[in-house]
Amino acid sequence: MITHFADFRLQTVSLEGVKQFYNGRLGLPVVSESDGEIRFRLTDLTTLTFAEAYEPVAPAHFAFEVPWSAFSEAVDYLRKEADVPLLRWPDGHEIDEFDESGPGINVYFRDGDGHVLELIAHRGVREDVLPPSGPLKVMYLREVGFPVDDVLEFREWMSRTFGMKLAKVYDDFTFAIGGTAHAIVVSKQRRWIPIGMLSLPPRMSVTFGVSGRDALARIRGSLDGERILSESEDELTIRRGGYPIRFAATDVPADLGARLNLP
């Protein structure tokens, strides 16, 4: 049912700082801008939204999937054109390679509010399905971190209610996957790599894209006791684990993940 992250909304203490970083450095186009909010176009399917808040900002973690063939180019852009420092692991390396569900590679960096961003690429993901966007060559927003008190309860709820697949199932960390959207269900006691940052619950709102109104109706029918914040024929917003979670009917095909050959 869930196909992708359609929007990711965070708080900031500086709209101008956000604009200078995401537009000026990362090259994301501005979709809309007001006195209290700015929205950027990450890809054809996804936006990033920042709302100004007069309170401390708890850093979030999120990751952009880029083509395997363009990873080095994207990292070079970060270093040379955007002049963005990469985060280092405790042993000093910046680019990390892994081979869990297939060969992969990633780097981490931070924005002005301390949010930890990640560029990640997987060798097996097809590069001819979603066009890469911007100078970072982003195909889609892959990961968003959900720090929670009870990882088991939250991941089982996502799996049971929305049909999300579970991967890397540990007591303090699990992926709940719907299409290209990987929700990282993580314990508040677990630290974010590579710098050991505390997993504080960020003030965020996530919009999951779903494959049409029928899929949205199935989600609505599967809810059991969740607090509904708003709803219409094309959208539904609930609250769970302290997070507003929105579902929006789109025309993105339900088999997007299969078309991309996701690991």
Side-chain angles (χ1 to χ4, degrees), residues 125-143:
V125 174
R126 292 189 59 174
E127 301 182 6
D128 58 350
V129 176
L130 294 174
S133 298
L136 290 182
K137 312 297 183 184
V138 178
M139 290 195 295
Y140 55 89
L141 175 60
R142 183 180 193 266
E143 300 170 13

PDB file of all heavy atoms in Angstrom, residues 125-143:
ATOM      1  N   VAL A 125      20.135  -1.582  -7.054  1.00  0.00           N
ATOM      2  CA  VAL A 125      18.947  -0.775  -7.334  1.00  0.00           C
ATOM      3  C   VAL A 125      18.996  -0.266  -8.772  1.00  0.00           C
ATOM      4  O   VAL A 125      19.993   0.317  -9.211  1.00  0.00           O
ATOM      5  CB  VAL A 125      18.858   0.414  -6.354  1.00  0.00           C
ATOM      6  CG1 VAL A 125      17.698   1.338  -6.737  1.00  0.00           C
ATOM      7  CG2 VAL A 125      18.674  -0.089  -4.926  1.00  0.00           C
ATOM      8  N   ARG A 126      17.916  -0.471  -9.506  1.00  0.00           N
ATOM      9  CA  ARG A 126      17.880  -0.042 -10.902  1.00  0.00           C
ATOM     10  C   ARG A 126      17.895   1.483 -10.999  1.00  0.00           C
ATOM     11  O   ARG A 126      17.254   2.183 -10.210  1.00  0.00           O
ATOM     12  CB  ARG A 126      16.630  -0.594 -11.592  1.00  0.00           C
ATOM     13  CG  ARG A 126      16.639  -2.101 -11.761  1.00  0.00           C
ATOM     14  CD  ARG A 126      15.492  -2.560 -12.623  1.00  0.00           C
ATOM     15  NE  ARG A 126      15.544  -1.944 -13.951  1.00  0.00           N
ATOM     16  CZ  ARG A 126      14.718  -2.259 -14.952  1.00  0.00           C
ATOM     17  NH1 ARG A 126      13.779  -3.162 -14.770  1.00  0.00           N
ATOM     18  NH2 ARG A 126      14.816  -1.653 -16.117  1.00  0.00           N
ATOM     19  N   GLU A 127      18.619   1.976 -11.982  1.00  0.00           N
ATOM     20  CA  GLU A 127      18.815   3.409 -12.132  1.00  0.00           C
ATOM     21  C   GLU A 127      17.987   4.016 -13.254  1.00  0.00           C
ATOM     22  O   GLU A 127      18.086   5.222 -13.515  1.00  0.00           O
ATOM     23  CB  GLU A 127      20.299   3.700 -12.366  1.00  0.00           C
ATOM     24  CG  GLU A 127      21.186   3.208 -11.227  1.00  0.00           C
ATOM     25  CD  GLU A 127      22.663   3.534 -11.445  1.00  0.00           C
ATOM     26  OE1 GLU A 127      22.974   4.243 -12.426  1.00  0.00           O
ATOM     27  OE2 GLU A 127      23.496   3.083 -10.633  1.00  0.00           O
ATOM     28  N   ASP A 128      17.135   3.216 -13.900  1.00  0.00           N
ATOM     29  CA  ASP A 128      16.364   3.702 -15.044  1.00  0.00           C
ATOM     30  C   ASP A 128      14.869   3.822 -14.732  1.00  0.00           C
ATOM     31  O   ASP A 128      14.046   3.953 -15.648  1.00  0.00           O
ATOM     32  CB  ASP A 128      16.557   2.774 -16.247  1.00  0.00           C
ATOM     33  CG  ASP A 128      16.149   1.332 -15.962  1.00  0.00           C
ATOM     34  OD1 ASP A 128      15.899   1.002 -14.778  1.00  0.00           O
ATOM     35  OD2 ASP A 128      16.077   0.533 -16.913  1.00  0.00           O
ATOM     36  N   VAL A 129      14.502   3.786 -13.444  1.00  0.00           N
ATOM     37  CA  VAL A 129      13.096   3.836 -13.056  1.00  0.00           C
ATOM     38  C   VAL A 129      12.707   5.227 -12.564  1.00  0.00           C
ATOM     39  O   VAL A 129      11.707   5.800 -13.004  1.00  0.00           O
ATOM     40  CB  VAL A 129      12.791   2.777 -11.977  1.00  0.00           C
ATOM     41  CG1 VAL A 129      11.339   2.896 -11.508  1.00  0.00           C
ATOM     42  CG2 VAL A 129      13.071   1.377 -12.498  1.00  0.00           C
ATOM     43  N   LEU A 130      13.495   5.785 -11.654  1.00  0.00           N
ATOM     44  CA  LEU A 130      13.246   7.121 -11.125  1.00  0.00           C
ATOM     45  C   LEU A 130      14.385   8.049 -11.539  1.00  0.00           C
ATOM     46  O   LEU A 130      15.552   7.735 -11.275  1.00  0.00           O
ATOM     47  CB  LEU A 130      13.149   7.093  -9.589  1.00  0.00           C
ATOM     48  CG  LEU A 130      11.961   6.342  -8.992  1.00  0.00           C
ATOM     49  CD1 LEU A 130      12.087   6.289  -7.476  1.00  0.00           C
ATOM     50  CD2 LEU A 130      10.641   6.990  -9.398  1.00  0.00           C
ATOM     51  N   PRO A 131      14.099   9.164 -12.175  1.00  0.00           N
ATOM     52  CA  PRO A 131      15.171  10.060 -12.620  1.00  0.00           C
ATOM     53  C   PRO A 131      15.867  10.716 -11.429  1.00  0.00           C
ATOM     54  O   PRO A 131      15.206  11.176 -10.494  1.00  0.00           O
ATOM     55  CB  PRO A 131      14.436  11.104 -13.458  1.00  0.00           C
ATOM     56  CG  PRO A 131      13.037  11.106 -12.919  1.00  0.00           C
ATOM     57  CD  PRO A 131      12.754   9.688 -12.517  1.00  0.00           C
ATOM     58  N   PRO A 132      17.191  10.746 -11.413  1.00  0.00           N
ATOM     59  CA  PRO A 132      17.897  11.434 -10.323  1.00  0.00           C
ATOM     60  C   PRO A 132      17.641  12.936 -10.379  1.00  0.00           C
ATOM     61  O   PRO A 132      17.542  13.523 -11.453  1.00  0.00           O
ATOM     62  CB  PRO A 132      19.370  11.099 -10.587  1.00  0.00           C
ATOM     63  CG  PRO A 132      19.441  10.768 -12.043  1.00  0.00           C
ATOM     64  CD  PRO A 132      18.125  10.156 -12.397  1.00  0.00           C
ATOM     65  N   SER A 133      17.536  13.546  -9.202  1.00  0.00           N
ATOM     66  CA  SER A 133      17.196  14.959  -9.113  1.00  0.00           C
ATOM     67  C   SER A 133      18.329  15.769  -8.500  1.00  0.00           C
ATOM     68  O   SER A 133      18.940  15.353  -7.513  1.00  0.00           O
ATOM     69  CB  SER A 133      15.939  15.151  -8.252  1.00  0.00           C
ATOM     70  OG  SER A 133      14.824  14.506  -8.822  1.00  0.00           O
ATOM     71  N   GLY A 134      18.580  16.926  -9.094  1.00  0.00           N
ATOM     72  CA  GLY A 134      19.500  17.898  -8.529  1.00  0.00           C
ATOM     73  C   GLY A 134      20.953  17.472  -8.585  1.00  0.00           C
ATOM     74  O   GLY A 134      21.296  16.384  -9.057  1.00  0.00           O
ATOM     75  N   PRO A 135      21.836  18.320  -8.075  1.00  0.00           N
ATOM     76  CA  PRO A 135      23.262  18.019  -8.112  1.00  0.00           C
ATOM     77  C   PRO A 135      23.664  16.825  -7.259  1.00  0.00           C
ATOM     78  O   PRO A 135      24.712  16.233  -7.489  1.00  0.00           O
ATOM     79  CB  PRO A 135      23.917  19.312  -7.597  1.00  0.00           C
ATOM     80  CG  PRO A 135      22.846  20.044  -6.878  1.00  0.00           C
ATOM     81  CD  PRO A 135      21.564  19.677  -7.548  1.00  0.00           C
ATOM     82  N   LEU A 136      22.826  16.443  -6.277  1.00  0.00           N
ATOM     83  CA  LEU A 136      23.128  15.257  -5.475  1.00  0.00           C
ATOM     84  C   LEU A 136      22.617  13.968  -6.127  1.00  0.00           C
ATOM     85  O   LEU A 136      22.844  12.876  -5.613  1.00  0.00           O
ATOM     86  CB  LEU A 136      22.517  15.385  -4.079  1.00  0.00           C
ATOM     87  CG  LEU A 136      23.151  16.419  -3.156  1.00  0.00           C
ATOM     88  CD1 LEU A 136      22.478  16.401  -1.791  1.00  0.00           C
ATOM     89  CD2 LEU A 136      24.648  16.192  -3.000  1.00  0.00           C
ATOM     90  N   LYS A 137      21.893  14.085  -7.251  1.00  0.00           N
ATOM     91  CA  LYS A 137      21.391  12.926  -8.002  1.00  0.00           C
ATOM     92  C   LYS A 137      20.453  12.045  -7.171  1.00  0.00           C
ATOM     93  O   LYS A 137      20.469  10.815  -7.263  1.00  0.00           O
ATOM     94  CB  LYS A 137      22.561  12.061  -8.520  1.00  0.00           C
ATOM     95  CG  LYS A 137      23.663  12.819  -9.198  1.00  0.00           C
ATOM     96  CD  LYS A 137      23.193  13.522 -10.446  1.00  0.00           C
ATOM     97  CE  LYS A 137      24.335  14.226 -11.183  1.00  0.00           C
ATOM     98  NZ  LYS A 137      23.874  14.993 -12.341  1.00  0.00           N
ATOM     99  N   VAL A 138      19.591  12.650  -6.362  1.00  0.00           N
ATOM    100  CA  VAL A 138      18.719  11.894  -5.463  1.00  0.00           C
ATOM    101  C   VAL A 138      17.605  11.203  -6.255  1.00  0.00           C
ATOM    102  O   VAL A 138      16.902  11.837  -7.032  1.00  0.00           O
ATOM    103  CB  VAL A 138      18.107  12.823  -4.396  1.00  0.00           C
ATOM    104  CG1 VAL A 138      17.153  12.040  -3.491  1.00  0.00           C
ATOM    105  CG2 VAL A 138      19.207  13.477  -3.567  1.00  0.00           C
ATOM    106  N   MET A 139      17.451   9.901  -6.035  1.00  0.00           N
ATOM    107  CA  MET A 139      16.348   9.166  -6.644  1.00  0.00           C
ATOM    108  C   MET A 139      15.107   9.180  -5.756  1.00  0.00           C
ATOM    109  O   MET A 139      13.996   9.327  -6.249  1.00  0.00           O
ATOM    110  CB  MET A 139      16.766   7.722  -6.928  1.00  0.00           C
ATOM    111  CG  MET A 139      17.795   7.587  -8.045  1.00  0.00           C
ATOM    112  SD  MET A 139      17.941   5.870  -8.641  1.00  0.00           S
ATOM    113  CE  MET A 139      18.586   5.050  -7.179  1.00  0.00           C
ATOM    114  N   TYR A 140      15.316   9.006  -4.464  1.00  0.00           N
ATOM    115  CA  TYR A 140      14.185   9.038  -3.542  1.00  0.00           C
ATOM    116  C   TYR A 140      14.678   9.204  -2.107  1.00  0.00           C
ATOM    117  O   TYR A 140      15.846   8.955  -1.798  1.00  0.00           O
ATOM    118  CB  TYR A 140      13.319   7.773  -3.660  1.00  0.00           C
ATOM    119  CG  TYR A 140      14.044   6.455  -3.494  1.00  0.00           C
ATOM    120  CD1 TYR A 140      14.209   5.865  -2.239  1.00  0.00           C
ATOM    121  CD2 TYR A 140      14.552   5.769  -4.596  1.00  0.00           C
ATOM    122  CE1 TYR A 140      14.861   4.656  -2.088  1.00  0.00           C
ATOM    123  CE2 TYR A 140      15.208   4.554  -4.457  1.00  0.00           C
ATOM    124  CZ  TYR A 140      15.354   4.001  -3.201  1.00  0.00           C
ATOM    125  OH  TYR A 140      15.998   2.804  -3.053  1.00  0.00           O
ATOM    126  N   LEU A 141      13.769   9.684  -1.261  1.00  0.00           N
ATOM    127  CA  LEU A 141      14.026   9.720   0.167  1.00  0.00           C
ATOM    128  C   LEU A 141      13.857   8.307   0.687  1.00  0.00           C
ATOM    129  O   LEU A 141      12.756   7.753   0.677  1.00  0.00           O
ATOM    130  CB  LEU A 141      13.050  10.682   0.861  1.00  0.00           C
ATOM    131  CG  LEU A 141      13.101  10.762   2.384  1.00  0.00           C
ATOM    132  CD1 LEU A 141      14.477  11.209   2.873  1.00  0.00           C
ATOM    133  CD2 LEU A 141      12.021  11.712   2.914  1.00  0.00           C
ATOM    134  N   ARG A 142      14.954   7.722   1.132  1.00  0.00           N
ATOM    135  CA  ARG A 142      14.932   6.309   1.499  1.00  0.00           C
ATOM    136  C   ARG A 142      14.577   6.071   2.966  1.00  0.00           C
ATOM    137  O   ARG A 142      13.773   5.192   3.278  1.00  0.00           O
ATOM    138  CB  ARG A 142      16.283   5.656   1.212  1.00  0.00           C
ATOM    139  CG  ARG A 142      16.324   4.147   1.499  1.00  0.00           C
ATOM    140  CD  ARG A 142      17.688   3.557   1.197  1.00  0.00           C
ATOM    141  NE  ARG A 142      17.640   2.107   1.179  1.00  0.00           N
ATOM    142  CZ  ARG A 142      17.913   1.320   2.216  1.00  0.00           C
ATOM    143  NH1 ARG A 142      18.227   1.872   3.386  1.00  0.00           N
ATOM    144  NH2 ARG A 142      17.864   0.002   2.107  1.00  0.00           N
ATOM    145  N   GLU A 143      15.196   6.829   3.890  1.00  0.00           N
ATOM    146  CA  GLU A 143      15.066   6.519   5.309  1.00  0.00           C
ATOM    147  C   GLU A 143      14.669   7.739   6.123  1.00  0.00           C
ATOM    148  O   GLU A 143      15.145   8.845   5.868  1.00  0.00           O
ATOM    149  CB  GLU A 143      16.395   5.977   5.859  1.00  0.00           C
ATOM    150  CG  GLU A 143      16.872   4.715   5.186  1.00  0.00           C
ATOM    151  CD  GLU A 143      18.295   4.346   5.593  1.00  0.00           C
ATOM    152  OE1 GLU A 143      18.815   4.930   6.575  1.00  0.00           O
ATOM    153  OE2 GLU A 143      18.892   3.486   4.921  1.00  0.00           O
TER     154      GLU A 143
END
